[in-house]
Amino acid sequence: MENNTNNHKEQIAKAMESVLIEHEKVKQDPWRLNYHVATPAFWMNDPNGFIYYKGEYHLFYQHHPYSPEWGPMFWGHVKSKDLIQWSHLPIALAPSEDYDADGCFSGSAIEKDGKLYLMYTGNVWTGENRDTDLKQVQCLAVSEDAIHFDKVKENPVISEAPEGNIHPYHFRDPKVWKHNDYYYCVLGSKTNEETGQILLYRSRDLVSWKFMAVSAKGEGNFGYMWECPDIFTLEEQEVLVMSPQGLTPEGDKYHNLHQAGYVLGKLDYDTGVLQHGEFEMLDYGFDFYAPQTTIDDQGRRIMIAWMAMWESEMPEQKQNWAGAMTLPRQLVLENGKIKSKPVPEITNIRGNQVNYKNLMVEGEVAFKEVDGNSLELDVYINANEASQFGLKLRMNETGEQYTELKYDVNSGVMIFDRNQAGSGPGGVRKAPVQLINNALHLRIFIDKSSVEVFINDGEKVMTGRIYPDENSTSIRFFSDGPCQLTHLKKWDLKHSMNYMEKE
């Protein structure tokens, strides 16, 4: 055990040195985010181990600390008291043992006996084919200070996929929780015929696990693999959040490479089977994957996701970093649907408030005090006689570079268009949205190279990375007929990331 611990510590120390050496250069990048979680340098993907523990929020993440490309996975680590102002901590997990030699893949966290446990997937490549030549097992690590983690001697705690119509290699991303006297763990999986499903286990001690059932399985257009499952209760209703891979586009839906969403249902804790309804998207934009939730001391269900998409161009990689997290979002259940709302703690970093009321817009109008690249907008727009209206964000002086948010009254669709946004991928995404009393409410968060749009109090959300020129800071409103900005509020948002410095 001592030798294993030493090897783990050595791998973490080498990785930390690599990241901190590069950080000074990375933080000068004009696309570097101001108030979103991003790694000090190199690669980031899925959020892991999101938990409220001893008065602080801890968030871990998939991290390759040697290049801005995906590679053998480590677990990066940040913590916060308010979900907005984050401090980086040392890397928590590194590939170091024969069962996780090629990656500590995604997982979750739970408190037991005052200690913080991480449950994760150990990955080993057994050949060149990354779809068939792999071995995945489930592992535990434990910490008494929530900073330094030791892998338990019993690892792997789940060493084989169950028998039956369950793919023997692809079972990963454990999300663990406690219900009554048992700990439960849900895992992403697929059938041998490439249909997504989830597996449910239970345990009394986090070490000895018993397989219960295939808890849910896809039917129809539901993907070939379900990743990053998360089961929780919201307003006495069970929710399964997951990221199905391989959905076929349907109308305006499912146009990203992979999707993320939820189903509502009822979990039978005796049989392990989840009866559920239809799949609903959690975000209608470009860059949202692998969401994970936690519950805090206020009883709030908070979600955070990877603000990127597999196989999407990432211009920041040229500056030796890649990927970021979304703003934390509070989930609420209203009228049988989940709403996602930015956590109210965002007010902790607001500054320089600007207010406008009852402004008429027709054609294109700019308000100079609303310009910027790290800000929040709160806008109510009454459509009046307009059939199309919206905003152009991060526009340059010539008006040729911008990101467009447009509402089409006749089709009832919100449109996020980044085809003129600058460097990086373009594209258009659409979300069905109904006006409320002929009005649209938007909360828009712009952060250097990202946009998050919360529509009608979180009924729909659209997220996307954009890569405009540094001097593209103008924000303009437009309408093809008279419409009214009932109110427009703008705040600059301050830098909120505390990075470790190299000694």
Side-chain angles (χ1 to χ4, degrees):
M1 180 68 177
E2 184 64 29
N3 288 339
N4 289 350
T5 298
N6 287 340
N7 186 33
H8 189 222
K9 290 178 179 178
E10 289 171 4
Q11 296 303 317
I12 287 175
K14 290 178 183 177
M16 289 297 301
E17 182 177 11
S18 169
V19 168
L20 293 178
I21 287 173
E22 192 62 27
H23 174 57
E24 286 302 314
K25 185 190 303 181
V26 166
K27 70 181 185 181
Q28 304 303 320
D29 182 8
W31 291 326
R32 187 68 172 163
L33 296 160
N34 216 21
Y35 56 91
H36 288 77
V37 173
T39 181
F42 301 127
W43 176 268
M44 164 190 278
N45 61 284
D46 303 359
N48 297 154
F50 190 25
I51 189 170
Y52 186 78
Y53 174 74
K54 294 186 177 179
E56 294 179 307
Y57 298 91
H58 287 260
L59 176 67
F60 304 81
Y61 55 87
Q62 292 284 274
H63 179 34
H64 184 224
Y66 294 108
S67 88
E69 309 286 339
W70 187 92
M73 286 292 99
F74 292 61
W75 276 36
H77 185 192
V78 293
K79 72 173 183 177
S80 173
K81 290 186 179 296
D82 68 355
L83 288 166
I84 299 299
Q85 299 172 95
W86 295 90
S87 296
H88 273 268
L89 296 172
I91 287 169
L93 294 178
S96 63
E97 315 306 322
D98 56 2
Y99 53 78
D100 65 10
D102 294 314
C104 299
F105 278 15
S106 288
S108 56
I110 194 167
E111 181 177 358
K112 178 179 179 289
D113 301 327
K115 300 177 183 179
L116 185 60
Y117 284 81
L118 306 181
M119 191 170 185
Y120 69 97
T121 297
N123 188 75
V124 176
W125 302 119
T126 58
E128 295 299 318
N129 188 320
R130 295 298 169 93
D131 191 56
T132 59
D133 300 337
L134 74 165
K135 172 69 174 174
Q136 294 188 333
V137 297
Q138 315 312 319
C139 313
L140 274 181
V142 61
S143 175
E144 297 197 14
D145 63 5
I147 298 175
H148 305 95
F149 290 83
D150 294 317
K151 298 173 184 180
V152 304
K153 66 180 186 300
E154 294 89 352
N155 278 339
V157 295
I158 303 176
S159 58
E160 301 285 347
E163 295 182 357
N165 191 9
I166 298 169
H167 199 288
Y169 310 119
H170 290 272
F171 83 128
R172 55 181 174 267
D173 311 336
K175 179 66 191 291
V176 62
W177 73 99
K178 192 173 185 183
H179 178 77
N180 294 335
D181 295 330
Y182 285 96
Y183 296 95
Y184 290 83
C185 166
V186 64
L187 285 161
S189 172
K190 62 180 176 180
T191 68
N192 292 317
E193 297 81 32
E194 306 278 321
T195 297
Q197 61 185 4
I198 58 167
L199 315 177
L200 189 67
Y201 287 75
R202 74 179 180 184
S203 170
R204 287 193 180 274
D205 61 4
L206 294 178
V207 174
S208 299
W209 291 91
K210 180 181 178 182
F211 173 63
M212 293 186 69
V214 173
S215 191
K217 182 167 65 174
E219 296 180 4
N221 184 23
F222 223 149
Y224 61 78
M225 173 72 190
W226 290 1
E227 289 196 314
C228 304
D230 186 353
I231 292 178
F232 54 89
T233 301
L234 197 61
E235 302 293 339
E236 301 183 356
Q237 172 81 66
E238 259 96 51
V239 181
L240 165 62
V241 165
M242 75 291 210
S243 296
Q245 299 180 316
L247 271 65
T248 302
E250 295 180 3
D252 293 331
K253 298 193 299 185
Y254 314 146
H255 287 273
N256 296 330
L257 180 64
H258 301 311
Q259 315 308 317
Y262 70 94
V263 295
L264 301 179
K266 180 65 177 176
L267 177 62
D268 187 324
Y269 276 95
D270 294 322
T271 65
V273 174
L274 175 75
Q275 301 291 339
H276 63 83
E278 295 296 313
F279 181 73
E280 300 282 351
M281 296 170 66
L282 280 165
D283 193 290
Y284 283 74
F286 301 89
D287 295 295
F288 183 94
Y289 193 69
Q292 189 170 105
T293 76
T294 192
I295 191 166
D296 67 8
D297 62 333
Q298 302 173 51
R300 301 182 301 177
R301 179 59 58 173
I302 309 296
M303 176 183 71
I304 198 164
W306 184 38
M307 192 165 60
M309 182 52 60
W310 294 111
E311 298 185 20
S312 182
E313 182 186 354
M314 299 178 174
E316 73 267 31
Q317 286 178 309
K318 295 176 182 177
Q319 305 300 323
N320 262 356
W321 68 285
M325 297 298 165
T326 65
L327 280 177
R329 304 172 183 183
Q330 182 177 356
L331 303 182
V332 296
L333 187 62
E334 294 184 12
N335 301 318
K337 302 284 186 182
I338 286 180
K339 286 187 173 183
S340 301
K341 306 183 181 187
V343 293
E345 289 91 337
I346 193 69
T347 59
N348 294 346
I349 58 169
R350 283 176 175 172
N352 302 324
Q353 181 175 341
V354 175
N355 287 300
Y356 291 97
K357 289 186 178 180
N358 299 321
L359 299 173
M360 296 305 297
V361 174
E362 188 171 7
E364 191 166 289
V365 179
F367 303 101
K368 189 168 181 59
E369 288 185 290
V370 178
D371 292 354
N373 63 17
S374 178
L375 56 88
E376 174 188 354
L377 296 174
D378 188 8
V379 190
Y380 281 89
I381 307 174
N382 191 304
N384 282 356
E385 301 174 35
S387 61
Q388 290 189 341
F389 59 87
L391 301 85
K392 293 180 180 179
L393 313 173
R394 298 300 307 272
M395 180 180 279
N396 64 2
E397 290 183 358
T398 65
E400 296 172 345
Q401 186 180 97
Y402 57 87
T403 296
E404 185 175 81
L405 303 176
K406 179 171 66 177
Y407 184 77
D408 187 281
V409 175
N410 295 326
S411 60
V413 170
M414 188 75 193
I415 302 165
F416 185 162
D417 185 339
R418 64 179 184 185
N419 280 320
Q420 303 297 124
S423 301
V428 174
R429 294 292 181 268
K430 299 179 181 181
V433 174
Q434 294 300 313
L435 297 180
I436 300 173
N437 296 324
N438 205 39
L440 181 71
H441 179 208
L442 302 176
R443 286 186 70 188
I444 302 167
F445 294 85
I446 302 171
D447 188 3
K448 300 293 187 72
S449 60
S450 71
V451 176
E452 291 170 275
V453 187
F454 295 81
I455 307 165
N456 287 345
D457 201 28
E459 174 192 316
K460 299 286 193 309
V461 190
M462 305 181 82
T463 301
R465 297 296 301 276
I466 60 171
Y467 300 91
D469 297 340
E470 189 173 5
N471 60 0
S472 297
T473 59
S474 179
I475 295 174
R476 301 184 188 179
F477 294 80
F478 64 87
S479 176
D480 67 356
C483 77
Q484 184 178 46
L485 298 181
T486 308
H487 92 229
L488 165 61
K489 295 181 181 180
K490 176 253 187 173
W491 298 267
D492 292 327
L493 295 181
K494 303 170 187 175
H495 183 80
S496 67
M497 295 302 304
N498 177 28
Y499 292 101
M500 296 176 297
E501 300 298 332
K502 190 176 187 296
E503 295 179 359

